[in-house]
Amino acid sequence: MDTHEKSKAPTVPASGDLDEQALFFHRYPRPGKLEIQATKPLGNQRDLALAYSPGVAAPCLAIRDEPERAADYTARANLVAVISNGTAVLGLGNIGPLASKPVMEGKAVLFKKFAGIDVFDIEIDALDVERMVSTVSALEPTFGGINLEDIKAPECFEVERRLRSMMNIPVFHDDQHGTAIIVAAAILNGLELAGKAIADVKIVASGAGAAALACLNLLVTLGAKRENIWVHDLEGLVYEGRVELMDEWKSVYAQKSDKRRLDESIDGADVFLGLSAAGVLKPDLLARMAEKPLIMALANPTPEIMPDLARAARPDAMICTGRSDFPNQVNNVLCFPYIFRGALDCGATTINEEMKMAAVRAIAALAREEVSEVAAKAYSDETPTFGPNYLIPSPFDPRLILRIAPAVAKAAADSGVASRPIADFDAYFDQLNRFVFRSGFVMKPIFTAAKNAGQKRVIFAEGEDERVLRAAQVLIEEGTGQPILIGRPQIIETRLQRFGLRIRPDVDFAVVNPQDDPRYRDYVDDYFALVGRAGINPEAARTIVRTNNTVIGALSVRRGEADALICGVEGRYDKHLRDVNQIIGRRKGVCAFAGLSLLISQRGAIFFTDTFVNDNPTAEELAETTILAAQEIRRFGITPKAALLSHSNFGSRNSESGRKMRHALELIREKAPDLEVDGEMQGGSALSEALRKRAMPNSTLTGEANLLVFPTLDAANISLGIVRTMMDALHVGPILLGAALPAHILSSSVTSRGVVNMAALAVVEASHPTAP
């Protein structure tokens, strides 16, 4: 590449060229998909002395004396090796270890994304079994588990078998067992819908490679009979006496039969398992299969039969493929991250049949539950529910880790292979839940208090919105609150069915129909009494109460018919705030509303204010907002540490902003002397005690600030957006400060989980109001 070429800015390829887009994706802004990050600070000589010489000797000697302590002092217990020799890569075949590296990096990314597991991808130049076994087994001191990937059959069987006998950590060939686990879960659910028992069904397989044989082995473990399994490969039926392309693993399924072809074996088959090639299963063969056949056409990218052809030939068929553009995708990411998560967390020495069976049953059971919001977004049409087109969960369902990892860890303990059995599964579930939602740890005190609040009534202004409907179900299931939804009952009922939610209006929750509510006249009278001298005439009041759901919700709270209001999922924030102000008003003694936002990231929890309400607050308003925010933060079980921010750092600039923040500090110290606060300071000083002490050694703020108070709305809102995006942080809020009764105005970008979080907080506020 010449100098001129290096200086040219990269251009994103046109959207239609997938190959060019993929090359661009892998090359920019940095080549590859992985990097290594330190988990400990290395900011000074002391840190270096602890991380390396001489301090590192202490953990080394502790591990020498007690090898199991490696899980305490190193990353080994959360580190997996993804290892391949590149002999059977995706649909690419034997492309070699170097060319396989992008795939292995991709597998590493999936481990991290879906289960928080760190991975080193290792591509080895080793074709024969002996060299592979010798190379991989020597890596045991480094890793907590081994994921073998894209190694061709039959070598993969022998490599895995020998490594499992030699190594005292899990060794898992995902091409075999990952596929088998998902296929088994789909078949269990398909047979349940068909009303068939696995011991009675006839299974015809096309393909006898690693994945196909692993699927059949697991189905036998689940109860399928070997005599009911008919296996075909390039040489035709696997039968007794055949010598071509036979090995010890395939021979297990040899049939005593004079049949040789697929079209001779297919009669009466209940299950077709295809892991072979495109077009193998012809439409006319489906007509000869049993009632309600299950078609597992898993060849990629083109399956053994396309789903539309299969459905045309057999409308009663249930069809799974390996493709994401059809229902029932068999995708290994459904299980391998979570199996390893459970195995690593209990210190499993292997992944045995009991653990795989536990994963199968957990996946099958999850498909019968309502689809989560995150999973639903993966579908372009109506949210699927358990049935022929939804036999297995979406790979994007965040509950997979919550179901599979504990099931695998428990099975490991029950079967005696867990070296560190999970002692408290409730605590373990909470730990996984925190990983999934990232709000779990910070929000836990709020949810605990909400469950103990006695079913406070939360009214939702946008009761027809999908996010609100999903949040309502979570509140009901978790016993966090009692939802009241404002909306048209017929629309709510229709959307509940569309999204596959089981809660029902007037049974599980109350509905306020804005078009027909017996309290309408009373609401109009109450509303006009509040706003009649603010330019609203009686006719306008009647129209507003009929059409403005936030007004209805706010009136319900004011009248005592609900305990808290959640609005803002749709529409402009300022308009919702106007309605809340007119009807609910400010708490006694409070001069202005304010918006408090919480960001939760891997760094921890940090609060921003004022992010949504006041354009240019006065020093008095800033002091009041800081004190109100500190009171709210204490609900989370967090001790507030406030930093008043400015471009000025402890008087370095005598600007209007600096003077305003200094005056606010004086007022805060006068009104809330126990609050840990300091300012005015720059953002770096707020988050770094070392920087702060350089400028102000006797600062009254210690450690890292967790409440950042900004001088203007612009500064707060812009900072919130930038930090949220850069840190991929979860936003909780905005939390409305200063309202006379619990009311919160959310943003239009909120998720259903965000709605749940804010509803729980509103319940706690309704149960334990904070005095001004």
Side-chain angles (χ1 to χ4, degrees):
M1 182 182 291
D2 60 25
T3 305
H4 175 69
E5 186 178 354
K6 285 182 181 180
S7 66
K8 291 167 62 179
T11 302
V12 180
S15 60
D17 193 335
L18 182 62
D19 288 347
E20 286 299 318
Q21 287 186 63
L23 292 173
F24 184 92
F25 175 85
H26 281 78
R27 185 174 182 182
Y28 298 104
R30 293 173 57 185
K33 300 188 285 282
L34 296 174
E35 68 177 0
I36 295 175
Q37 289 187 340
T39 60
K40 299 295 189 294
L42 295 173
N44 51 50
Q45 187 62 38
R46 178 67 173 172
D47 291 342
L48 292 174
L50 293 172
Y52 199 55
S53 180
V56 75
C60 289
L61 294 176
I63 294 169
R64 180 200 63 185
D65 297 337
E66 299 178 73
E68 65 274 10
R69 300 303 295 274
D72 299 324
Y73 299 131
T74 75
R76 183 176 186 262
N78 194 52
L79 186 61
V80 167
V82 171
I83 300 178
S84 179
N85 65 357
T87 53
V89 179
L90 295 173
L92 305 176
N94 186 355
I95 61 174
L98 182 59
S100 77
K101 188 171 181 62
V103 178
M104 302 313 129
E105 284 190 358
K107 194 67 175 276
V109 170
L110 295 178
F111 267 108
K112 187 67 173 181
K113 169 69 176 177
F114 288 98
I117 294 172
D118 294 317
V119 167
F120 290 160
D121 66 290
I122 300 177
E123 295 74 33
I124 58 175
D125 186 8
L127 297 179
D128 63 275
V129 170
E130 288 296 335
R131 189 171 181 183
M132 277 190 280
V133 170
S134 174
T135 301
V136 176
S137 63
L139 298 173
E140 182 170 351
T142 301
F143 297 100
I146 303 291
N147 183 95
L148 300 175
E149 192 77 16
D150 293 348
I151 301 170
K152 73 180 182 71
E155 289 89 340
C156 62
F157 301 120
E158 182 65 16
V159 168
E160 185 189 43
R161 180 168 66 183
R162 289 176 59 178
L163 288 174
R164 287 179 59 144
S165 68
M166 296 169 63
M167 303 180 76
N168 203 38
I169 57 175
V171 177
F172 187 81
H173 186 206
D174 183 47
D175 299 321
Q176 292 183 58
H177 308 300
T179 302
I181 287 166
I182 302 158
V183 164
I187 289 177
L188 282 184
N189 280 343
L191 294 181
E192 178 179 311
L193 289 172
K196 300 176 182 179
I198 193 169
D200 302 329
V201 298
K202 179 179 179 180
I203 301 171
V204 174
S206 175
L213 292 177
C215 289
L216 296 174
N217 292 341
L218 192 52
L219 290 174
V220 169
T221 304
L222 286 165
K225 300 294 180 60
R226 291 184 188 274
E227 58 267 26
N228 292 339
I229 298 174
W230 299 69
V231 180
H232 303 76
D233 62 8
L234 293 174
E235 291 292 326
L237 180 71
V238 174
Y239 62 90
E240 289 186 3
R242 198 183 105 175
V243 295
E244 298 87 356
L245 295 180
M246 292 297 288
D247 55 54
E248 62 179 289
W249 298 278
K250 196 182 301 183
S251 297
V252 171
Y253 294 101
Q255 286 279 4
K256 185 180 293 185
S257 173
D258 57 0
K259 297 177 180 179
R260 296 294 181 264
R261 300 190 310 272
L262 180 65
D263 62 354
E264 296 176 317
S265 307
I266 200 72
D267 290 329
D270 300 281
V271 178
F272 171 81
L273 175 61
L275 284 150
S276 53
V280 167
L281 184 63
K282 305 303 180 185
D284 60 294
L285 297 184
L286 269 67
R288 294 157 52 185
M289 294 183 70
E291 182 184 3
K292 297 181 180 177
L294 181 57
I295 311 299
M296 310 293 295
L298 306 181
N300 258 328
T302 306
E304 286 77 4
I305 186 168
M306 293 297 288
D308 53 343
L309 293 177
R311 201 168 299 286
R314 286 298 298 267
D316 62 334
M318 292 171 279
I319 307 160
C320 297
T321 71
R323 293 172 51 145
S324 60
D325 53 345
F326 293 108
N328 295 322
Q329 183 194 15
V330 174
N331 187 330
N332 286 14
V333 80
L334 274 164
C335 72
F336 73 80
Y338 317 118
I339 289 174
F340 269 98
R341 181 73 279 159
L344 292 172
D345 290 340
C346 71
T349 57
T350 187
I351 295 175
N352 57 24
E353 291 303 304
E354 291 86 349
M355 295 161 72
K356 289 188 286 184
M357 291 280 286
V360 169
R361 299 194 185 283
I363 294 170
L366 180 57
R368 302 183 192 117
E369 298 183 28
E370 291 87 356
V371 180
S372 73
E373 178 196 22
V374 174
K377 288 181 179 178
Y379 298 90
S380 58
D381 299 319
E382 291 188 359
T383 304
T385 56
F386 179 58
N389 288 327
Y390 190 70
L391 299 176
I392 43 180
S394 162
F396 298 99
D397 195 318
R399 297 169 298 176
L400 285 162
I401 192 172
L402 303 177
R403 303 294 186 271
I404 299 173
V408 168
K410 186 176 187 304
D414 292 345
S415 59
V417 299
S419 64
R420 301 187 306 275
I422 305 295
D424 185 342
F425 272 92
D426 288 338
Y428 182 52
F429 186 87
D430 283 345
Q431 174 186 327
L432 296 174
N433 195 61
R434 291 197 296 272
F435 171 78
V436 172
F437 295 114
R438 288 179 296 176
S439 60
F441 181 74
V442 175
M443 292 299 297
K444 187 171 179 57
I446 299 298
F447 280 102
T448 300
K451 288 179 181 180
N452 296 329
Q455 288 293 296
K456 295 294 182 180
R457 301 159 298 172
V458 182
I459 191 164
F460 294 88
E462 296 88 4
E464 298 174 2
D465 190 278
E466 177 185 357
R467 293 163 292 178
V468 171
L469 294 172
R470 292 186 180 280
Q473 176 153 305
V474 172
L475 293 174
I476 292 167
E477 289 180 345
E478 296 184 354
T480 307
Q482 184 178 339
I484 303 171
L485 305 188
I486 303 175
R488 294 161 291 179
Q490 185 177 359
I491 299 299
I492 290 174
E493 181 70 44
T494 299
R495 291 182 178 179
L496 287 171
Q497 293 177 4
R498 180 192 306 169
F499 303 138
L501 303 175
R502 65 169 176 268
I503 55 174
R504 291 293 171 258
D506 300 320
V507 176
D508 301 302
F509 61 91
V511 176
V512 175
N513 182 359
Q515 297 177 344
D516 182 20
D517 190 281
R519 298 164 294 186
Y520 171 69
R521 293 183 182 277
D522 294 336
Y523 276 33
V524 171
D525 291 342
D526 289 347
Y527 182 60
F528 184 72
L530 293 167
V531 301
R533 294 184 179 273
I536 304 294
N537 61 37
E539 183 60 32
R542 285 190 287 270
T543 300
I544 290 170
V545 172
R546 183 77 75 189
T547 60
N548 189 322
N549 288 6
T550 298
V551 167
I552 296 171
L555 287 168
S556 296
V557 174
R558 183 182 177 90
R559 288 163 54 90
E561 296 164 355
D563 299 301
L565 167 66
I566 299 293
C567 62
V569 175
E570 299 169 3
R572 287 174 49 179
Y573 188 95
D574 58 342
K575 291 186 177 180
H576 291 285
L577 182 61
R578 174 201 62 198
D579 297 331
V580 170
N581 185 30
Q582 287 180 336
I583 298 168
I584 291 177
R586 296 189 297 272
R587 193 189 311 169
K588 184 178 179 180
V590 171
C591 63
F593 290 107
L596 175 68
S597 289
L598 165 61
L599 288 186
I600 305 170
S601 69
Q602 293 181 345
R603 183 186 178 100
I606 190 165
F607 294 82
F608 291 63
T609 197
D610 171 12
T611 51
F612 276 84
V613 180
N614 297 296
D615 290 339
N616 188 15
T618 64
E620 289 76 13
E621 289 172 336
L622 285 168
E624 179 182 83
T625 296
T626 304
I627 294 169
L628 290 173
Q631 293 171 351
E632 200 67 38
I633 291 171
R634 291 189 181 99
R635 294 188 193 276
F636 293 83
I638 298 172
T639 300
K641 295 185 174 186
L644 306 185
L645 300 183
S646 172
H647 67 285
S648 175
N649 205 34
F650 298 105
S652 63
R653 297 280 295 275
N654 191 29
S655 63
E656 180 182 351
S657 168
R659 292 193 300 270
K660 179 171 72 171
M661 301 310 278
R662 288 197 291 273
H663 186 201
L665 177 64
E666 295 172 359
L667 295 172
I668 293 169
R669 287 177 170 169
E670 178 184 334
K671 297 178 179 180
D674 294 334
L675 176 62
E676 188 173 334
V677 60
D678 209 346
E680 85 287 12
M681 69 181 74
Q682 295 171 351
S685 297
L687 299 179
S688 169
E689 187 173 35
L691 286 177
R692 186 165 61 250
K693 285 188 173 181
R694 290 176 194 170
M696 183 57 60
N698 62 344
S699 172
T700 53
L701 181 65
T702 61
E704 182 177 308
N706 55 26
L707 171 58
L708 303 182
V709 182
F710 292 84
T712 66
L713 177 63
D714 276 349
N717 194 274
I718 291 170
S719 298
L720 175 71
I722 292 173
V723 174
R724 179 183 182 181
T725 302
M726 290 183 65
M727 299 186 68
D728 190 24
L730 176 70
H731 179 215
V732 178
I735 303 166
L736 185 61
L737 302 175
L741 296 168
H744 293 290
I745 306 165
L746 310 185
S747 64
S748 59
S749 62
V750 71
T751 65
S752 67
R753 191 68 197 181
V755 177
V756 171
N757 288 338
M758 291 305 301
L761 182 60
V763 166
V764 175
E765 290 175 343
S767 179
H768 302 287
T770 300

PDB file of all heavy atoms in Angstrom, residues 662-674:
ATOM      1  N   ARG A 662     -20.484  27.796  42.545  1.00  0.00           N
ATOM      2  CA  ARG A 662     -19.943  28.047  43.880  1.00  0.00           C
ATOM      3  C   ARG A 662     -21.040  28.501  44.832  1.00  0.00           C
ATOM      4  O   ARG A 662     -21.082  28.099  45.998  1.00  0.00           O
ATOM      5  CB  ARG A 662     -18.825  29.107  43.796  1.00  0.00           C
ATOM      6  CG  ARG A 662     -17.551  28.605  43.162  1.00  0.00           C
ATOM      7  CD  ARG A 662     -16.368  29.508  43.452  1.00  0.00           C
ATOM      8  NE  ARG A 662     -16.472  30.792  42.787  1.00  0.00           N
ATOM      9  CZ  ARG A 662     -16.056  31.036  41.546  1.00  0.00           C
ATOM     10  NH1 ARG A 662     -15.527  30.058  40.819  1.00  0.00           N
ATOM     11  NH2 ARG A 662     -16.148  32.251  41.026  1.00  0.00           N
ATOM     12  N   HIS A 663     -21.942  29.346  44.342  1.00  0.00           N
ATOM     13  CA  HIS A 663     -23.059  29.793  45.174  1.00  0.00           C
ATOM     14  C   HIS A 663     -23.969  28.617  45.519  1.00  0.00           C
ATOM     15  O   HIS A 663     -24.432  28.482  46.662  1.00  0.00           O
ATOM     16  CB  HIS A 663     -23.850  30.883  44.449  1.00  0.00           C
ATOM     17  CG  HIS A 663     -24.928  31.491  45.287  1.00  0.00           C
ATOM     18  ND1 HIS A 663     -26.003  32.165  44.753  1.00  0.00           N
ATOM     19  CD2 HIS A 663     -25.115  31.515  46.641  1.00  0.00           C
ATOM     20  CE1 HIS A 663     -26.799  32.567  45.732  1.00  0.00           C
ATOM     21  NE2 HIS A 663     -26.280  32.182  46.891  1.00  0.00           N
ATOM     22  N   ALA A 664     -24.202  27.728  44.537  1.00  0.00           N
ATOM     23  CA  ALA A 664     -25.023  26.544  44.799  1.00  0.00           C
ATOM     24  C   ALA A 664     -24.399  25.683  45.889  1.00  0.00           C
ATOM     25  O   ALA A 664     -25.096  25.144  46.762  1.00  0.00           O
ATOM     26  CB  ALA A 664     -25.197  25.735  43.512  1.00  0.00           C
ATOM     27  N   LEU A 665     -23.066  25.557  45.866  1.00  0.00           N
ATOM     28  CA  LEU A 665     -22.382  24.770  46.888  1.00  0.00           C
ATOM     29  C   LEU A 665     -22.630  25.354  48.279  1.00  0.00           C
ATOM     30  O   LEU A 665     -22.887  24.618  49.243  1.00  0.00           O
ATOM     31  CB  LEU A 665     -20.880  24.723  46.580  1.00  0.00           C
ATOM     32  CG  LEU A 665     -20.017  23.991  47.613  1.00  0.00           C
ATOM     33  CD1 LEU A 665     -20.387  22.511  47.673  1.00  0.00           C
ATOM     34  CD2 LEU A 665     -18.529  24.158  47.272  1.00  0.00           C
ATOM     35  N   GLU A 666     -22.557  26.680  48.405  1.00  0.00           N
ATOM     36  CA  GLU A 666     -22.814  27.319  49.695  1.00  0.00           C
ATOM     37  C   GLU A 666     -24.217  27.014  50.203  1.00  0.00           C
ATOM     38  O   GLU A 666     -24.420  26.690  51.383  1.00  0.00           O
ATOM     39  CB  GLU A 666     -22.624  28.825  49.566  1.00  0.00           C
ATOM     40  CG  GLU A 666     -21.196  29.265  49.253  1.00  0.00           C
ATOM     41  CD  GLU A 666     -21.109  30.750  48.946  1.00  0.00           C
ATOM     42  OE1 GLU A 666     -22.181  31.422  48.961  1.00  0.00           O
ATOM     43  OE2 GLU A 666     -19.995  31.246  48.688  1.00  0.00           O
ATOM     44  N   LEU A 667     -25.198  27.056  49.296  1.00  0.00           N
ATOM     45  CA  LEU A 667     -26.587  26.790  49.688  1.00  0.00           C
ATOM     46  C   LEU A 667     -26.783  25.329  50.084  1.00  0.00           C
ATOM     47  O   LEU A 667     -27.502  25.032  51.041  1.00  0.00           O
ATOM     48  CB  LEU A 667     -27.525  27.151  48.523  1.00  0.00           C
ATOM     49  CG  LEU A 667     -27.561  28.634  48.131  1.00  0.00           C
ATOM     50  CD1 LEU A 667     -28.373  28.823  46.856  1.00  0.00           C
ATOM     51  CD2 LEU A 667     -28.151  29.474  49.265  1.00  0.00           C
ATOM     52  N   ILE A 668     -26.140  24.430  49.372  1.00  0.00           N
ATOM     53  CA  ILE A 668     -26.269  23.001  49.696  1.00  0.00           C
ATOM     54  C   ILE A 668     -25.677  22.712  51.069  1.00  0.00           C
ATOM     55  O   ILE A 668     -26.274  21.995  51.882  1.00  0.00           O
ATOM     56  CB  ILE A 668     -25.572  22.144  48.614  1.00  0.00           C
ATOM     57  CG1 ILE A 668     -26.319  22.268  47.281  1.00  0.00           C
ATOM     58  CG2 ILE A 668     -25.521  20.675  49.043  1.00  0.00           C
ATOM     59  CD1 ILE A 668     -25.562  21.687  46.106  1.00  0.00           C
ATOM     60  N   ARG A 669     -24.503  23.247  51.328  1.00  0.00           N
ATOM     61  CA  ARG A 669     -23.864  23.002  52.619  1.00  0.00           C
ATOM     62  C   ARG A 669     -24.680  23.585  53.768  1.00  0.00           C
ATOM     63  O   ARG A 669     -24.682  23.045  54.875  1.00  0.00           O
ATOM     64  CB  ARG A 669     -22.452  23.576  52.608  1.00  0.00           C
ATOM     65  CG  ARG A 669     -21.489  22.752  51.770  1.00  0.00           C
ATOM     66  CD  ARG A 669     -20.111  23.368  51.705  1.00  0.00           C
ATOM     67  NE  ARG A 669     -19.157  22.431  51.101  1.00  0.00           N
ATOM     68  CZ  ARG A 669     -17.927  22.755  50.711  1.00  0.00           C
ATOM     69  NH1 ARG A 669     -17.513  24.022  50.875  1.00  0.00           N
ATOM     70  NH2 ARG A 669     -17.126  21.862  50.184  1.00  0.00           N
ATOM     71  N   GLU A 670     -25.400  24.650  53.483  1.00  0.00           N
ATOM     72  CA  GLU A 670     -26.251  25.250  54.510  1.00  0.00           C
ATOM     73  C   GLU A 670     -27.497  24.403  54.768  1.00  0.00           C
ATOM     74  O   GLU A 670     -27.889  24.190  55.918  1.00  0.00           O
ATOM     75  CB  GLU A 670     -26.655  26.657  54.069  1.00  0.00           C
ATOM     76  CG  GLU A 670     -27.587  27.379  55.031  1.00  0.00           C
ATOM     77  CD  GLU A 670     -28.034  28.725  54.491  1.00  0.00           C
ATOM     78  OE1 GLU A 670     -27.286  29.317  53.674  1.00  0.00           O
ATOM     79  OE2 GLU A 670     -29.118  29.177  54.874  1.00  0.00           O
ATOM     80  N   LYS A 671     -28.104  23.879  53.681  1.00  0.00           N
ATOM     81  CA  LYS A 671     -29.369  23.154  53.795  1.00  0.00           C
ATOM     82  C   LYS A 671     -29.190  21.660  54.033  1.00  0.00           C
ATOM     83  O   LYS A 671     -30.071  21.004  54.597  1.00  0.00           O
ATOM     84  CB  LYS A 671     -30.206  23.370  52.537  1.00  0.00           C
ATOM     85  CG  LYS A 671     -30.613  24.822  52.320  1.00  0.00           C
ATOM     86  CD  LYS A 671     -31.410  24.970  51.034  1.00  0.00           C
ATOM     87  CE  LYS A 671     -31.842  26.416  50.815  1.00  0.00           C
ATOM     88  NZ  LYS A 671     -32.615  26.596  49.563  1.00  0.00           N
ATOM     89  N   ALA A 672     -28.086  21.087  53.565  1.00  0.00           N
ATOM     90  CA  ALA A 672     -27.854  19.644  53.710  1.00  0.00           C
ATOM     91  C   ALA A 672     -26.405  19.421  54.121  1.00  0.00           C
ATOM     92  O   ALA A 672     -25.578  18.938  53.338  1.00  0.00           O
ATOM     93  CB  ALA A 672     -28.169  18.913  52.405  1.00  0.00           C
ATOM     94  N   PRO A 673     -26.065  19.776  55.357  1.00  0.00           N
ATOM     95  CA  PRO A 673     -24.660  19.711  55.786  1.00  0.00           C
ATOM     96  C   PRO A 673     -24.075  18.299  55.782  1.00  0.00           C
ATOM     97  O   PRO A 673     -22.850  18.149  55.753  1.00  0.00           O
ATOM     98  CB  PRO A 673     -24.706  20.302  57.203  1.00  0.00           C
ATOM     99  CG  PRO A 673     -26.131  20.164  57.644  1.00  0.00           C
ATOM    100  CD  PRO A 673     -26.955  20.281  56.409  1.00  0.00           C
ATOM    101  N   ASP A 674     -24.929  17.275  55.824  1.00  0.00           N
ATOM    102  CA  ASP A 674     -24.419  15.901  55.848  1.00  0.00           C
ATOM    103  C   ASP A 674     -24.123  15.348  54.460  1.00  0.00           C
ATOM    104  O   ASP A 674     -23.546  14.262  54.345  1.00  0.00           O
ATOM    105  CB  ASP A 674     -25.440  14.986  56.536  1.00  0.00           C
ATOM    106  CG  ASP A 674     -25.617  15.328  58.011  1.00  0.00           C
ATOM    107  OD1 ASP A 674     -24.662  15.884  58.597  1.00  0.00           O
ATOM    108  OD2 ASP A 674     -26.701  15.069  58.559  1.00  0.00           O
TER     109      ASP A 674
END
